[in-house]
Amino acid sequence: GQPNIGTLLASAPVQWVWNGALWTISLEMGCYLLLALVFAAPQWRRLPLRQAVVWNVVAAIVLILVGWDGPVDRSSWPRQFLRLMAFFAAGSLLWAARQHIRVSPLRVVASAALVLVIGLVGATPLLAPLPLAYALLGAAHYLPDLERDISFGVYLYGFPVQQVLHQAVPDAHGWLFASLALVPTVTIAWMSWHAVERPALRWAASLRSEVSS
């Protein structure tokens, strides 16, 4: 699609695209499809933990072979995909081993600290996926169940909101800018949840019930 409109972004922080988060959507869909294929075989559905372990090992080996520490830009789609796939593989491993994994605040904090250390030594794509997945999912374990999940809307609309906001208040930076962007981003994400995402999930659930009946 068209990334920008005329010269509307001439004074924006990122001048070549309205929504810099959209580049990950195609990668995300590719990861979901690949994981679906990995776990689709009947023999592997009976052994999801073994499959998840194998998949993580394969992802790590491929990252090493292609160069996990090389530069990544908009033209290096395969390397972007492989890096993101490593994080998807880590999430699938935790899901497959969910009956065997214990969660505690100390372990969540330790995993988050480990991610920070890995980032400082510059090995995030190779070593951080598993502890980062544990830290995020473990932290979510202690959050209350929310009927409204606006996380995807915040991810999707946060970038264009900030593009517009910068043109309205160009002198705002740092925490002030983040605070100003938070309200419209959360508002739009909340509207998106009620108008788009929740109806789509209900429609998908109705389709599944029709297929199973």
Side-chain angles (χ1 to χ4, degrees), residues 40-208:
Q43 63 272 25
W44 288 116
R45 285 203 300 268
R46 292 191 296 268
L47 300 168
L49 181 55
R50 180 183 299 179
Q51 177 72 334
V53 171
V54 171
W55 187 235
N56 275 263
V57 173
V58 170
I61 293 174
V62 172
L63 272 178
I64 293 173
L65 291 177
V66 301
W68 57 269
D69 58 343
V72 173
D73 54 34
R74 289 181 294 169
S75 63
S76 57
W77 192 94
R79 184 170 291 170
Q80 291 175 346
F81 177 78
L82 290 172
R83 288 188 176 184
L84 186 59
M85 190 67 248
F87 290 91
F88 270 72
S92 70
L93 176 58
L94 293 184
W95 172 84
R98 61 192 182 280
Q99 303 297 335
H100 310 282
I101 295 177
R102 294 184 178 180
V103 178
S104 69
L106 179 59
R107 291 176 181 178
V108 171
V109 172
S111 296
L114 180 58
V115 172
L116 292 177
V117 172
I118 291 172
L120 291 175
V121 301
T124 298
L126 185 62
L127 301 179
L130 196 55
L132 179 60
Y134 181 90
L136 292 175
L137 295 175
H141 177 74
Y142 293 99
L143 295 177
D145 291 334
L146 301 176
E147 296 182 0
R148 302 171 182 84
D149 184 2
I150 64 171
S151 59
F152 184 74
V154 171
Y155 155 76
L156 192 60
Y157 303 115
F159 198 103
V161 165
Q162 292 176 80
Q163 290 280 76
V164 174
L165 183 63
H166 182 270
Q167 299 188 63
V169 282
D171 296 329
H173 301 284
W175 287 106
L176 174 60
F177 185 81
S179 301
L180 293 174
L182 183 63
V183 174
T185 299
V186 169
T187 301
I188 296 173
W190 183 86
M191 295 170 62
S192 177
W193 165 255
H194 285 279
V196 180
E197 296 158 49
R198 185 168 66 173
L201 291 173
R202 288 177 173 174
W203 176 72
S206 66
L207 286 181
R208 286 194 297 268

